[in-house]
Amino acid sequence: MSERDRYIKAWGDRRARLFMLCVAVLGFAFTVRSSHWIAGLCFIGAMVGAYGYYEFRCPRCHQRFLPVLRAQIWFDNGRCQGCGLRVNLLPPDEGAGSA
């Protein structure tokens, strides 16, 4: 697997984690008044999704993409807090410099 493919897979994983979190939060919001059991399951799913989103590792520096300290968290500012890598940025092609 090339470095570029690894980055593409990592960014896809990040999008999937965010999608799961949003679906669980919306599921909780829409079911909280009608079914407490389903709302409870959606709440647990939202907590698991938030944890998974928080645990996402940067494909470049392998540190958490979001900071550890709560005072430093901005909701998804689009950069890795460790190395400054922007979201969805791919490394240059390995063969792009050769003529």
Side-chain angles (χ1 to χ4, degrees):
M1 176 182 286
S2 72
E3 188 74 8
R4 188 174 182 84
D5 292 339
R6 194 175 62 78
Y7 274 54
I8 290 170
K9 184 179 178 189
W11 294 129
D13 180 45
R14 183 178 180 276
R15 281 190 295 276
R17 291 175 189 216
L18 183 59
F19 180 74
M20 180 186 135
L21 175 60
C22 290
V23 166
V25 167
L26 288 174
F28 174 74
F30 287 125
T31 60
V32 72
R33 288 188 173 205
S34 60
S35 174
H36 296 295
W37 288 103
I38 296 174
L41 291 174
C42 288
F43 180 75
I44 291 170
M47 290 178 56
V48 169
Y51 179 76
Y53 185 68
Y54 178 74
E55 285 294 314
F56 174 75
R57 301 288 176 158
C58 174
R60 182 191 293 166
C61 68
H62 304 289
Q63 294 181 8
R64 282 192 188 105
F65 203 76
L66 297 175
V68 176
L69 300 176
R70 196 170 62 159
Q72 295 176 349
I73 293 179
W74 301 288
F75 182 73
D76 198 7
N77 67 354
R79 290 184 176 266
C80 173
Q81 300 299 311
C83 66
L85 179 67
R86 286 194 128 330
V87 172
N88 296 327
L89 188 68
L90 298 176
D93 287 335
E94 290 138 5
S98 63

